[in-house]
Amino acid sequence: MPEGLTRRRCGGRGARGIVRALAAGAALAVSAGCSGTTATPPAATAPKPMEPAQLTALHRLPPVTGLLFAPHLRGAEAQRKLAIACMAERGYRYAPVPPSKSPDGTDERPQPFGLESTAPRRAATPSVPPEAPPEPGSPESTDAYARALFGDEAERVTARGARLSVSRPGEGCLAEAETRVFGDGRMRWLQVRIRLFEAQEDARADVEKDVAFRAATTRWRECMDRAEVKAQDPVQVQRSLRSEEERRTGPVVTADLRCKAETGYLATAYERLAAAQQRWLDEHPDIGRDWKKLSARQEKAAGEVLGTQG
């Protein structure tokens, strides 16, 4: 548990406090000297944090993440329409919420290198209300309805990656809708997405061993030392924050973002992550090939179902 904010007194005057938090098994200590002066450079000389457009450009660099977070809204809408029609044929009303109308998944993409701004992360799409639970005694509350939608539980099918696995209905209206869109590539599509998720996680771990990234982290740490903030890395800083107010206005965050700007930390981090992800794609050409093939199949089927083209 993070400890509370404490204050030291030197010569009878209040100094900056010491903030301690335990994050990932390491202590984050923020302290200031008793000289009565601040270690933070004047605002006029402090580099400005990146603009949102610059951050968005960095978020788009990692190619595995780009594939994983491609929205495929037309395919999702086609599956929704097919499932609704399928359930109607069985005498049931099925009304799932429509897929996101966001033009891309940029804002949903992970930010694996700590804070990037003091602004709260905005959702990529307007929030939609959850589907209302079926009313007791209604057709939608029956086992027959669930079987029509999800099929027999014993018939579920499973897609596996290197470490993870995900199961889906093997029959029922949801399975029929997915099969209409992907054909016999339905399970391969799910497996590709599992593998991409695993690759994203593996590449982030690999970056920690990258020489350029480690040098950028060292520069960031030295900058934080000059600001009298002791921290191992930006992820530790982020994990140490205990409130939204601290995230927006805390001195640790101010130092973190300033040092990222001063050292070019985020640019280096995303560039090295992109390189690690590209190496993975180069080593697994079947993933990129099948992703493109199945994406094209999905788009074609969606156009036929929705009565639109491309």
Side-chain angles (χ1 to χ4, degrees):
M1 292 292 292
E3 298 176 9
L5 182 66
T6 62
R7 292 184 179 275
R8 295 189 302 176
R9 301 189 68 84
C10 303
R13 294 190 177 184
R16 283 188 182 176
I18 301 174
V19 177
R20 291 190 178 273
L22 295 180
L28 170 66
V30 182
S31 61
C34 299
S35 63
T37 61
T38 179
T40 304
T45 63
K48 292 180 61 178
M50 285 189 170
E51 297 292 333
Q54 294 174 299
L55 292 172
T56 296
L58 290 181
H59 298 161
R60 290 176 174 171
L61 289 179
V64 168
T65 302
L67 297 181
L68 186 60
F69 282 81
H72 298 291
L73 297 180
R74 281 160 44 84
E77 177 59 24
Q79 290 182 49
R80 175 176 174 270
K81 183 175 180 179
L82 288 166
I84 291 172
C86 175
M87 290 295 284
E89 290 175 1
R90 288 161 170 75
Y92 297 109
R93 180 180 180 274
Y94 177 54
V97 296
S100 158
K101 299 302 182 182
S102 175
D104 58 48
T106 298
D107 291 334
E108 295 177 340
R109 297 185 191 193
Q111 296 180 9
F113 302 108
L115 296 178
E116 298 182 359
S117 76
T118 57
R121 289 199 65 184
R122 63 185 179 87
T125 61
S127 60
V128 294
E131 295 180 34
E135 296 182 6
S138 67
E140 292 77 16
S141 69
T142 63
D143 290 342
Y145 179 92
R147 283 196 301 273
L149 185 60
F150 301 109
D152 191 327
E153 188 71 17
E155 298 299 321
R156 292 183 71 87
V157 292
T158 301
R160 292 181 172 83
R163 299 182 302 278
L164 304 175
S165 62
V166 176
S167 68
R168 294 289 296 159
E171 58 181 23
C173 286
L174 292 183
E176 290 182 19
E178 291 178 0
T179 300
R180 172 67 178 81
V181 171
F182 291 109
D184 58 6
R186 176 191 177 216
M187 296 309 294
R188 178 57 175 166
W189 173 253
L190 186 55
Q191 183 187 45
V192 165
R193 293 186 65 79
I194 295 171
R195 293 295 305 278
L196 289 172
F197 177 81
E198 292 175 333
Q200 181 177 252
E201 300 300 302
D202 291 344
R204 176 61 183 89
D206 288 344
V207 166
E208 292 294 333
K209 299 174 283 189
D210 182 272
V211 173
F213 176 75
R214 290 170 69 90
T217 302
T218 297
R219 294 193 302 271
W220 174 89
R221 192 181 300 127
E222 291 171 347
C223 175
M224 295 290 278
D225 285 343
R226 292 191 294 273
E228 299 185 2
V229 178
K230 300 295 181 183
Q232 186 67 24
D233 57 47
V235 173
Q236 186 190 10
V237 168
Q238 185 176 36
R239 289 173 177 170
S240 76
L241 303 175
R242 297 165 297 178
S243 68
E244 186 61 31
E245 180 66 20
E246 191 173 15
R247 185 186 185 280
R248 290 196 307 269
T249 63
V252 179
V253 172
T254 299
D256 173 35
L257 295 177
R258 182 179 61 78
C259 286
K260 281 173 177 167
E262 181 177 300
T263 62
Y265 175 86
L266 288 175
T268 299
Y270 277 104
E271 287 166 3
R272 301 319 301 156
L273 180 63
Q277 290 192 2
Q278 187 59 55
R279 282 195 302 272
W280 189 92
L281 288 174
D282 292 343
E283 293 167 0
H284 301 82
D286 59 311
I287 298 296
R289 181 186 65 241
D290 289 355
W291 186 89
K292 292 178 181 178
K293 181 173 67 174
L294 290 168
S295 293
R297 163 100 188 222
Q298 180 179 192
E299 281 298 302
K300 180 180 178 181
E304 294 171 354
V305 171
L306 301 175
T308 59
Q309 298 297 325

